[in-house]
């Protein structure tokens, strides 16, 4: 069975390496990007089923990235926002309604928690 | 006659400028009727308005810059903690091979302190925001009891670990009121956390909500070690912790209550403490019911 593809997008290279190591050890195929532009350039080629997207990166804002994804027809790609900021319940619900954001994780995260959420949102066949 | 007219005009100008330089809340200046007093009146009032607008503009700019600085600082400070924490967890969980007992203990210490550092950074940033009066709040109408129940749920495991019973006594007649869910939640969580922390095994913590006139009161009462009256104000100060034999083993950043006090001030409410040594402490979180809702800031537009 083909490994499930995930993209990890964060401007901090150590975070990207760490999450990549973590998820690859669980059998996923992981591609990475360091900012919004890079991510949008690669997504067509990679076609991940899930993206772990950092919220505060230089360059395009998160809203701009999510909007571009929507505009270019990637509404089905699931997004988990990874963020230092703690969102309120209403903020999360509003974001989830507007874009295909399925979950969010706060940094620093618990690795068991991250694994569980990734497993949950990549469940089932493509 | 003419000479007298001229003196009057001078006095008029002096009076107008004096009134302008006084820092009063009055936005209009009224001068005695006389030659040119209308023009002067108008000019001085225009000037006063310009000064006021300018001051407001500067205040907003400073607030915005402080807020941006603190947001960026928060992000920057906590970013290295993320790979640190994750890598340590992976080491402990055997991702990189089996560890000896000594190695495990060593990494546990580092990981524990990484978590402490994270909390400390978060708290220091909160205090900074409060001090700079640039803490962003989103006031929305909500159900207080729902918030309390959510927090109690989050603390259930901790209470169980400490063998402390939680008793809930929420008044169903409490109306929906306006508050900042995240910030008020932080206050209640912190107070509840303290209550459980400072209560010995087999003790109990009671949380109740009531309405008293135009105020909503959340009361958290524990059967813990208590606080001396002389320390009531002390515990609200940043980094000050009670210096007693009983308190020595309890950890915390020392900022929780200082932050809680600041958040309650923004809510135009209060936080009060009454306590008896060895019997317990009662904390009251008091909220008014007349706050206005505010517009939500887009969290994704950073």
């Amino acid at each position: 069975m083909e490994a499930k593809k995930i993209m990890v997008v964060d401007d901090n290279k150590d975070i990207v390496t760490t999450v990549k190591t973590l998820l690859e050890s669980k059998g996923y195929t992981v591609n990475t990007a360091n900012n919004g532009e890079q991510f949008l350039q690669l997504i067509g080629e990679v076609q991940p089923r899930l993206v772990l997207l950092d919220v505060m990166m230089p360059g395009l804002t998160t809203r701009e990235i999510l909007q571009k994804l929507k505009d270019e027809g990637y509404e089905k790609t699931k997004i988990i926002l990874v963020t230092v900021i703690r969102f309120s319940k209403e903020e999360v619900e509003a974001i989830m309604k507007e874009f295909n954001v399925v979950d969010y994780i706060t940094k620093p995260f618990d690795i068991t928690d991250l694994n569980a959420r990734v497993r949950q949102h990549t469940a089932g066949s493509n | 006659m003419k000479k007298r007219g001229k003196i009057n005009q001078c006095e008029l100008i002096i009076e107008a400028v004096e009134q302008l330089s006084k820092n009063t809340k009055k936005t209009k200046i009224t001068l005695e009727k006389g030659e040119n007093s209308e023009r002067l009146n108008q000019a001085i009032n225009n000037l006063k308005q310009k000064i006021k607008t300018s001051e407001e503009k500067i205040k907003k700019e400073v607030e915005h810059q402080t807020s941006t600085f603190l947001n960026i600082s928060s992000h920057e400070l906590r970013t290295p903690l993320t790979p640190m924490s994750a890598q340590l967890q992976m080491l402990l969980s055997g991702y990189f091979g089996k560890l000896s007992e000594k190695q495990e203990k060593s990494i546990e210490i580092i990981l524990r302190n990484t978590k402490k550092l994270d909390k400390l950074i978060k708290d220091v940033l909160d205090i900074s925001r409060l001090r700079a009066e640039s803490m962003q709040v989103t006031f929305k109408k909500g159900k207080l009891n729902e918030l309390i129940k959510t927090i109690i749920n989050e603390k259930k495991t901790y209470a169980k670990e400490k063998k402390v019973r939680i008793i809930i006594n929420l008044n169903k007649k409490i109306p929906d009121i306006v508050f900042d869910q995240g910030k008020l939640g932080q206050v209640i969580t912190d107070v509840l956390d303290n209550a459980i922390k400072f209560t010995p095994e087999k003790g109990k913590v009671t949380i109740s909500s009531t309405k008293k006139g135009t105020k909503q009161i959340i009361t958290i009462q524990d059967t813990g070690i208590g606080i001396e009256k002389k320390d009531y104000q002390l515990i609200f100060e940043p980094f000050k912790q009670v210096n007693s034999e009983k308190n020595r083993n309890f950890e915390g950043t020392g900022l929780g209550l200082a932050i809680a006090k600041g958040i309650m001030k923004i809510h135009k409410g209060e936080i009060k403490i009454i306590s008896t040594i060895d019997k317990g402490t009662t904390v009251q979180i008091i909220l008014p019911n007349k706050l206005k809702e505010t517009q939500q800031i887009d969290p994704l537009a950073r």
Side-chain angles (χ1 to χ4, degrees):
Chain A
M1 198 178 65
E2 206 184 287
K4 296 176 181 178
K5 283 195 266 184
I6 301 182
M7 272 195 85
V8 176
V9 186
D10 197 305
D11 59 321
N12 181 299
K13 300 214 166 117
D14 283 339
I15 292 181
V16 167
T17 312
T18 302
V19 176
K20 185 169 152 89
T21 307
L22 184 66
L23 295 177
E24 278 177 346
S25 76
K26 293 290 180 188
Y28 299 98
T29 299
V30 180
N31 291 86
T32 68
N34 289 121
N35 59 55
E37 281 96 348
Q38 233 181 56
F39 166 53
L40 291 167
Q41 274 167 12
L42 291 170
I43 190 169
E45 194 182 306
V46 175
Q47 300 279 350
R49 48 164 47 192
L50 179 66
V51 179
L52 298 175
L53 184 64
D54 178 30
V55 167
M56 248 164 102
M57 293 186 290
L60 294 173
T61 66
T62 312
R63 175 167 285 279
E64 285 171 330
I65 298 170
L66 291 172
Q67 190 60 51
K68 270 232 157 126
L69 277 183
K70 208 174 174 183
D71 293 341
E72 291 175 14
Y74 289 102
E75 320 98 25
K76 294 235 173 86
T77 310
K78 294 185 185 177
I79 314 275
I80 295 182
L81 293 180
V82 183
T83 166
V84 166
I85 307 153
R86 265 104 184 113
F87 290 139
S88 73
K89 197 170 132 199
E90 289 93 2
E91 284 175 328
V92 175
E93 285 171 2
I95 295 165
M96 287 181 172
K97 246 194 211 169
E98 212 182 331
F99 304 105
N100 199 17
V101 170
V102 296
D103 209 337
Y104 90 103
I105 275 198
T106 51
K107 295 196 268 193
F109 50 79
D110 178 279
I111 60 175
T112 319
D113 190 29
L114 183 80
N115 282 334
R117 286 173 205 249
V118 169
R119 187 169 56 243
Q120 179 194 347
H121 296 296
T122 54
S125 49
N126 212 344
Chain B
M1 264 307 170
K2 236 189 181 173
K3 200 180 177 192
R4 197 165 156 211
K6 278 217 171 111
I7 291 171
N8 273 349
Q9 281 199 46
C10 278
E11 279 182 8
L12 210 64
I13 295 169
I14 292 170
E15 196 195 317
V17 175
E18 277 178 350
Q19 275 201 40
L20 178 64
S21 62
K22 265 194 215 160
N23 199 15
T24 62
K25 286 198 174 156
K26 268 196 339 193
T27 48
K28 277 200 167 175
I29 290 169
T30 26
L31 304 167
E32 254 184 64
K33 276 211 163 155
E35 216 176 307
N36 286 326
S37 74
E38 273 295 314
R39 271 177 68 192
L40 189 57
N41 208 42
Q42 188 68 38
I44 290 287
N45 280 310
N46 283 345
L47 189 57
K48 196 160 202 204
Q49 189 57 43
K50 278 196 177 153
I51 294 173
K52 186 173 178 218
T53 310
S54 205
E55 281 176 343
E56 284 172 3
K57 217 172 155 193
I58 292 172
K59 187 173 179 226
K60 268 209 173 121
E61 185 59 33
V62 169
E63 264 177 25
H64 175 73
Q65 287 198 11
T66 310
S67 194
T68 308
F69 173 72
L70 290 173
N71 282 338
I72 295 176
S73 299
S74 169
H75 181 79
E76 292 306 305
L77 284 168
R78 298 169 80 193
T79 291
L81 285 175
T82 304
M84 278 168 71
S85 162
Q87 292 281 352
L88 289 166
Q89 290 175 60
M90 284 160 76
L91 272 165
L92 272 180
S93 304
Y95 277 74
F96 308 122
K98 193 165 170 20
L99 299 175
S100 72
E101 206 182 303
K102 284 189 183 168
Q103 286 171 333
E104 246 185 54
K105 285 219 153 47
S106 165
I107 295 174
E108 271 169 5
I109 293 175
I110 305 171
L111 184 58
R112 192 167 57 235
N113 280 276
T114 316
K115 290 193 178 146
K116 270 197 217 174
L117 191 55
D118 185 48
K119 177 111 201 336
L120 195 54
I121 290 171
K122 181 178 174 297
D123 283 354
V124 167
L125 284 160
D126 273 346
I127 286 274
S128 301
R129 286 195 181 101
L130 285 166
R131 287 211 162 152
E133 290 182 12
S134 71
M135 180 172 263
Q136 286 171 334
V137 282
T138 307
F139 283 150
K140 250 188 143 182
K141 208 167 208 187
K143 297 183 189 300
L144 206 57
N145 287 343
E146 287 304 311
L147 179 62
I148 298 172
K149 281 188 219 164
T150 308
I151 295 167
I152 292 174
N153 214 22
E154 287 169 5
K155 289 289 161 191
K156 250 198 263 187
T157 319
Y158 179 42
K160 211 173 173 185
E161 269 168 27
K162 289 219 75 202
K163 299 201 170 76
V164 168
R165 233 181 346 139
I166 297 187
I167 299 169
I168 308 172
N169 189 5
L170 305 177
N171 185 334
K172 293 194 180 141
K173 292 201 188 120
I174 292 203
D176 290 356
I177 57 163
V178 173
F179 55 90
D180 180 306
Q181 178 153 346
K183 301 292 188 299
L184 185 63
Q186 194 175 328
V187 174
I188 302 170
T189 302
D190 219 71
V191 174
L192 182 54
D193 207 67
N194 279 345
I196 300 170
K197 185 160 75 174
F198 290 104
T199 298
E201 283 189 10
K202 300 215 181 123
K204 62 178 193 216
V205 173
T206 310
I207 303 156
S208 49
S209 63
T210 52
K211 180 170 142 61
K212 198 174 179 185
T214 59
K215 306 218 185 279
Q216 271 59 232
I217 306 178
I218 304 168
T219 308
I220 298 176
Q221 184 173 12
D222 65 55
T223 56
I225 63 175
I227 307 163
E228 279 184 57
K229 199 167 184 177
K230 67 174 174 68
D231 291 327
Y232 282 5
Q233 289 314 310
L234 188 79
I235 55 176
F236 283 107
E237 286 172 40
F239 296 120
K240 290 259 164 65
Q241 283 171 312
V242 171
N243 196 12
S244 76
E245 196 55 56
K246 296 185 210 272
N247 203 55
R248 204 149 293 159
N249 293 321
F250 295 104
E251 292 174 353
T253 58
L255 290 170
L257 286 175
I259 294 170
K261 190 175 174 187
I263 292 174
M264 289 322 295
K265 194 171 172 205
I266 295 178
H267 279 81
K268 301 215 185 345
E270 294 180 79
I271 175 165
K272 283 191 188 162
I273 291 196
I274 304 171
S275 181
T276 311
I277 292 287
D278 289 330
K279 284 245 163 79
T281 303
T282 302
V283 179
Q284 283 191 326
I285 298 166
I286 304 167
L287 286 154
N289 65 359
K290 51 191 161 91
L291 289 174
K292 288 209 180 109
E293 290 194 311
T294 59
Q295 252 217 331
Q296 207 172 12
I297 309 149
D298 185 12
L300 295 178
R302 289 181 232 248

